[in-house]
């Protein structure tokens, strides 16, 4: 760790205020180029602590920057991990107020729900599939707090990996019998196809993203509890949205989910 506790708390407050007040900020590594990975996750954890103290609850976890499309779009080469709290959740077919966000983008995700605990190190695709209750389609709305959506990996980790809203829908499908690599993914905005992909875009197999998350948490002695919902990462690049837009996601064998921006 390169930053002291006071600086970590200040940066967490700074980034969380930007989220809650929907305004952008400069990326924090500009002022703190010395910060390291532990500092970045410590800031994210402090944002979580602030939310829990206010009565919010964790409802899921996410892996991000797990596809080449996303890594290329954002100019980074390593995945990141974050948390999802209750007020991020939007019902299937529901509405999102863009005035509550800065410059939202939307991306298609394959979502896992676990039936058994996952504890790294040593988790792999097999461990993850054996621990998975079902998968389902999800739309993630990301909203980097950084100006023009530009950041480096440490800055985006501190900012809880741009998390802001998510929508789950479609069908809950057990993983035996489906090949998650070849599932087709089609995302439409206002009736026009905007992004297409397949599950293998996510680290070769979306379960690999869940294994990485379990191994990341395992390094600090944490486990992923049974029942946890996890976004495995955008399959395609993220698409900008504005008020009036309607987005629909279809994933082969898993059904569809949608959301409207107002
Ligand atoms: C970081 C969050 C990425 C994903 O699924 O790749 C993410 C960002 O692109 O702003 O959620
Ligand atoms: Mg995502």
């Amino acid at each position: 760790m390169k930053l002291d506790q006071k600086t970590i708390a200040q940066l967490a407050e700074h980034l969380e205020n930007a989220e809650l007040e929907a305004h952008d900020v400069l990326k924090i590594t500009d002022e703190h180029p010395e910060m390291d990975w532990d500092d970045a996750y410590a800031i994210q954890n402090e944002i979580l602590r602030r939310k829990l103290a206010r009565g919010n609850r964790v409802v899921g976890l996410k892996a991000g920057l797990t596809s080449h499309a996303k890594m290329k779009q954002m100019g980074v080469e390593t995945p990141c991990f974050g948390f999802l709290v209750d007020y991020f959740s939007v019902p299937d077919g529901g509405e999102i107020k863009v005035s509550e966000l800065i410059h939202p983008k939307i991306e298609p995700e394959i979502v896992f729900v676990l039936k058994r605990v996952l504890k790294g190190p040593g988790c792999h695709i097999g461990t993850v599939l054996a621990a998975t209750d079902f998968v389902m389609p999800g739309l993630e709305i990301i909203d980097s707090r950084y100006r023009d959506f530009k950041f480096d990996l440490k800055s985006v980790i501190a900012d809880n990996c741009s998390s802001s809203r998510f929508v789950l829908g479609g069908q809950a499908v057990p993983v035996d019998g489906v090949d998650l690599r070849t599932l087709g993914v089609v995302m439409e905005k206002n009736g026009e196809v905007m992004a297409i992909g397949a599950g293998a875009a996510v680290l070769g197999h979306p379960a690999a993203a869940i294994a990485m998350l379990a191994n990341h948490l395992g390094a600090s002695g944490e486990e992923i509890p049974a029942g946890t919902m996890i976004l495995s990462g955008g399959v395609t690049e993220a698409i900008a949205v504005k008020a009036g837009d309607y987005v629909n996601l279809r994933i082969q064998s898993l059904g569809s989910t949608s959301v409207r921006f107002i």
Side-chain angles (χ1 to χ4, degrees):
M1 305 265 298
K2 298 284 187 326
L3 302 182
D4 58 29
Q5 195 47 48
K6 184 161 164 267
T7 310
I8 286 171
Q10 277 169 352
L11 289 169
E13 184 178 4
H14 174 65
L15 287 172
E16 205 212 6
N17 283 344
E19 179 222 324
L20 297 174
E21 296 161 12
H23 63 75
D24 66 6
V25 294
L26 297 178
K27 72 180 193 310
I28 58 174
T29 47
D30 290 351
E31 260 200 61
H32 300 278
E34 76 284 15
M35 67 181 271
D36 64 18
W37 305 108
D38 290 339
D39 292 320
Y41 278 107
I43 295 165
Q44 185 192 115
N45 279 333
E46 176 61 17
I47 293 175
L48 174 59
R49 196 198 59 75
R50 294 172 64 86
K51 293 192 185 305
L52 295 176
R54 222 178 280 122
N56 297 138
R57 282 161 187 254
V58 174
V59 298
L61 300 175
K62 70 175 256 186
L65 304 172
T66 51
S67 67
H68 290 296
K70 288 281 315 184
M71 291 188 210
K72 187 162 166 255
Q73 182 179 29
M74 304 325 299
V76 300
E77 279 162 12
T78 320
C80 63
F81 308 106
F83 63 82
L84 304 168
V85 288
D86 42 16
Y87 71 91
F88 294 181
S89 174
V90 176
D92 187 17
E95 293 177 340
I96 294 175
K97 287 200 185 86
V98 291
S99 61
E100 293 177 357
L101 305 176
I102 305 163
H103 40 207
K105 293 185 187 179
I106 192 162
E107 57 191 19
E109 307 240 356
I110 295 173
V111 182
F112 287 67
V113 175
L114 303 183
K115 60 185 170 195
R116 286 207 285 278
V117 62
L118 265 183
K119 189 162 171 47
C123 287
H124 49 67
I125 294 173
T127 336
V128 172
L129 292 179
T132 299
D133 197 353
F134 54 84
V135 289
M136 64 197 303
L139 285 164
E140 184 180 20
I141 296 82
I142 52 171
D143 193 33
S144 175
R145 268 54 70 169
Y146 298 118
R147 187 150 305 165
D148 301 325
F149 236 104
K150 293 220 167 66
F151 47 69
D152 50 39
L153 197 55
K154 287 172 191 161
S155 293
V156 73
I157 288 169
D159 184 32
N160 191 25
C161 303
S162 312
S163 305
S164 78
R165 299 287 184 273
F166 67 88
V167 187
L168 305 180
Q171 287 156 245
V173 175
V175 285
D176 36 312
V178 289
D179 183 348
L180 295 180
R181 297 169 303 173
T182 54
L183 288 186
V185 173
V186 179
M187 187 170 75
E188 293 172 349
K189 184 170 85 171
N190 306 326
E192 190 187 336
V193 174
M194 300 297 285
I196 53 172
V202 174
L203 293 172
H205 192 304
I210 312 301
M212 263 186 109
L213 169 63
N215 294 333
H216 164 79
L217 292 173
S220 40
E222 290 172 66
E223 58 187 31
I224 310 179
T228 303
M229 179 276 288
I230 310 162
L231 307 183
S232 59
V235 175
T236 68
E237 61 173 39
I239 303 292
V241 282
K242 57 181 184 343
D245 286 340
Y246 173 77
V247 176
N248 180 63
L249 166 66
R250 267 175 290 163
I251 302 186
Q252 184 182 9
S253 310
L254 308 187
S256 64
T257 183
S258 66
V259 69
R260 186 177 297 282
F261 293 85
I262 59 168

